[in-house]
Amino acid sequence: MSLSLSFEEVGKSFRTQCRGRGLRGLFFFPKKENKPLFSGLCFVIEPGERVLFLGPNGSGKTTVLKLAGGLMTPSSGKVFVENLEAQHFPKKKMGVMLSTQLLYTGLTGYQNLEFATRLHGTGSTQKAIQHAIRRWKLETFVDDIVESYSNGQRALLALARATLMDPPLVLLDEPTAFLDVPHRSLFWRYLRTTPSTVLITSQENFPEGTIGRVIHL
């Protein structure tokens, strides 16, 4: 199962403070202003597409993912997932990996996955958890406390959690940033075989056959 998305003249601005210099070199903040990140963003993503948002730091890649997942509202325009505005789309139908990974470091990897199934309202689904462990090669450390994980191990666990239950929409922010070559091959295999609609951010292009379309930001 997969989903369609559409961005219709979407813009995003962030409120910032104007910093000035007062008497005796003191800084003050006389007024606030909106700083535009992007505007007029229009595209349609078909069900089952794998789309890479490519661009440098600060180009708005992570913001686009958050807008697609309804985790942030646009300053202008609208984002739709199927026929619903993104902020009203059920979160249990999507898997999200943000750069912060949002893992519970005081729990084991297995407990993180088990908790994720409960958040999605599916209860403790052992078969799905075991499949995720095998898919992302977590066997040697899944029972360890996440606080002890390397950055690469955390990235693999975050990928396992985002793709758990094979949600129809998957949003992945810089998923390969900490992966070594063997584990990147696991990710390429996932992209080639998943039926989900997948949105990915990166600063580098991906191998041929893993991505259907690249959108430059």
Side-chain angles (χ1 to χ4, degrees), residues 6-52:
S6 63
F7 276 54
E8 301 182 0
E9 296 291 340
V10 173
K12 185 62 182 177
S13 299
F14 291 96
R15 185 169 291 278
T16 62
Q17 297 249 349
C18 293
R19 186 168 65 178
R21 185 178 293 273
L23 297 175
R24 300 177 183 177
L26 298 178
F27 287 99
F28 66 102
F29 302 90
K31 63 178 181 179
K32 293 181 179 180
E33 65 176 12
N34 288 326
K35 180 180 179 182
L37 181 59
F38 51 73
S39 62
L41 201 59
C42 292
F43 55 82
V44 175
I45 297 174
E46 300 295 339
E49 264 201 282
R50 295 152 300 166
V51 178
L52 174 64

Side-chain angles (χ1 to χ4, degrees), residues 10 55 76 92 149 212:
V10 173
S76 60
K92 67 180 181 180
Y149 283 18

Side-chain angles (χ1 to χ4, degrees), residues 26-28 30-31 39 43 47 84 90 100 108 112 114 122 131 150 160 209 211 214:
L26 298 178
F27 287 99
F28 66 102
K31 63 178 181 179
S39 62
F43 55 82
L84 289 175
T100 54
T108 67
N112 269 266
E114 191 172 44
T122 57
H131 176 66
S150 68
I211 293 295
V214 177

Side-chain angles (χ1 to χ4, degrees), residues 81-208:
V81 181
E82 294 293 291
N83 297 317
L84 289 175
E85 289 192 50
Q87 59 265 36
H88 302 308
F89 187 78
K91 301 300 181 285
K92 67 180 181 180
K93 291 186 177 182
M94 65 179 69
V96 181
M97 174 187 176
L98 295 176
S99 55
T100 54
Q101 299 172 5
L102 301 176
L103 299 171
Y104 295 97
T105 58
L107 301 179
T108 67
Y110 190 94
Q111 289 169 331
N112 269 266
L113 296 177
E114 191 172 44
F115 186 58
T117 63
R118 293 174 180 173
L119 285 178
H120 283 268
T122 57
S124 180
T125 309
Q126 301 298 326
K127 185 177 179 180
I129 293 174
Q130 292 300 328
H131 176 66
I133 291 171
R134 290 192 300 271
R135 170 189 274 172
W136 299 106
K137 306 297 183 185
L138 310 181
E139 293 92 342
T140 60
F141 57 88
V142 72
D143 291 319
D144 297 337
I145 298 294
V146 172
E147 188 177 26
S148 68
Y149 283 18
S150 68
N151 285 331
Q153 289 172 327
R154 292 186 186 211
L156 289 169
L157 178 61
L159 280 167
R161 187 185 60 182
T163 59
L164 193 65
M165 313 301 295
D166 289 316
L169 176 61
V170 179
L171 310 173
L172 305 174
D173 190 21
E174 302 278 2
T176 61
F178 296 109
L179 298 184
D180 57 19
V181 172
H183 290 110
R184 283 191 176 203
S185 67
L186 294 178
F187 184 63
W188 309 143
R189 185 187 311 161
Y190 166 75
L191 289 181
R192 291 186 178 104
T193 58
T194 181
S196 303
T197 302
V198 186
L199 277 60
I200 309 161
T201 70
S202 182
Q203 297 182 53
E204 59 183 7
N205 222 323
F206 284 7
E208 185 176 354

